[in-house]
Amino acid sequence: MSEKGRERLARLMEQSLAGAGQHTRRIFGEHRLSLEEVEQLLLSRGDRAVIATADLRARPHASVGSVLWLDGLLYLLGKRDSRRHRNLLENPRVAIVVMEGWKRQALIEGDVRPLDERDAKAILDEEERRYGWRDDAVFVVEPRKIFTYRSPRA
């Protein structure tokens, strides 16, 4: 990740904790991941993330899917005919959890925007190279909050 990307991520992690409630600050503040650990978690576990969306009526939907961490940006991958895709087109807010069991976790809240086919091609090519499958839709995630956790028993 570039130095600018590292600074942005570190600032966002600090701002997220500063704006959180007392319980969240205690749990996530005492046992947070380093920047290197966050990046490693996204690189090693991005093929199995829990992704939460909601439609315009605020009906929630959670699914397991893939995210791709590439060059300091987070991409959300999926199928155009899925409920998740339809929800994100209607309501671009998302919550994503990437975890290694109870050992390490990253909780990311943000907004997404779809990439057109031309811009998505390189991301989908990388998805196929890393994970062995290929989706047909890509959203870039603009994180608004990031909380991380490392189990004291890990």
Side-chain angles (χ1 to χ4, degrees):
M1 178 178 358
S2 71
E3 190 59 35
K4 183 178 177 182
R6 291 177 58 79
E7 289 172 8
R8 185 174 171 270
L9 183 58
R11 189 171 46 254
L12 182 58
M13 290 169 64
E14 289 298 325
Q15 290 170 347
S16 297
L17 272 178
Q22 182 179 0
H23 173 77
T24 300
R25 282 194 313 270
R26 188 179 75 250
I27 298 299
F28 290 102
E30 292 175 10
H31 304 287
R32 62 183 156 174
L33 300 176
S34 68
L35 290 175
E36 293 79 15
E37 289 172 309
V38 171
E39 187 170 33
Q40 181 55 36
L41 179 64
L42 292 171
L43 288 169
S44 68
R45 300 293 176 169
D47 61 335
R48 49 191 167 271
V50 177
I51 302 158
T53 63
D55 63 17
L56 284 178
R57 293 186 190 167
R59 291 180 298 203
H61 174 69
S63 58
V64 176
S66 302
V67 295
L68 187 72
W69 179 252
L70 183 65
D71 299 328
L73 294 174
L74 186 63
Y75 299 94
L76 178 58
L77 310 161
K79 298 291 186 186
R80 286 192 181 110
D81 62 352
S82 69
R83 181 173 171 194
R84 178 174 66 220
H85 186 83
R86 289 188 307 274
N87 283 356
L88 290 171
L89 291 175
E90 287 182 10
N91 176 3
R93 302 229 166 150
V94 67
I96 302 167
V97 178
V98 179
M99 63 184 162
E100 181 185 358
W102 289 104
K103 290 182 181 180
R104 300 183 304 163
Q105 303 164 13
L107 294 78
I108 303 161
E109 296 177 18
D111 301 318
V112 299
R113 66 175 170 76
L115 295 184
D116 63 32
E117 285 186 41
R118 182 180 55 83
D119 292 335
K121 184 182 180 320
I123 306 306
L124 294 170
D125 289 347
E126 181 64 17
E127 175 192 34
E128 188 169 23
R129 187 189 73 73
R130 277 193 203 176
Y131 303 147
W133 63 79
R134 188 179 190 92
D135 286 304
D136 62 10
V138 179
F139 291 87
V140 63
V141 179
E142 180 62 41
R144 301 290 179 217
K145 293 181 184 178
I146 299 177
F147 298 103
T148 65
Y149 178 79
R150 178 190 325 103
S151 171
R153 296 184 191 107

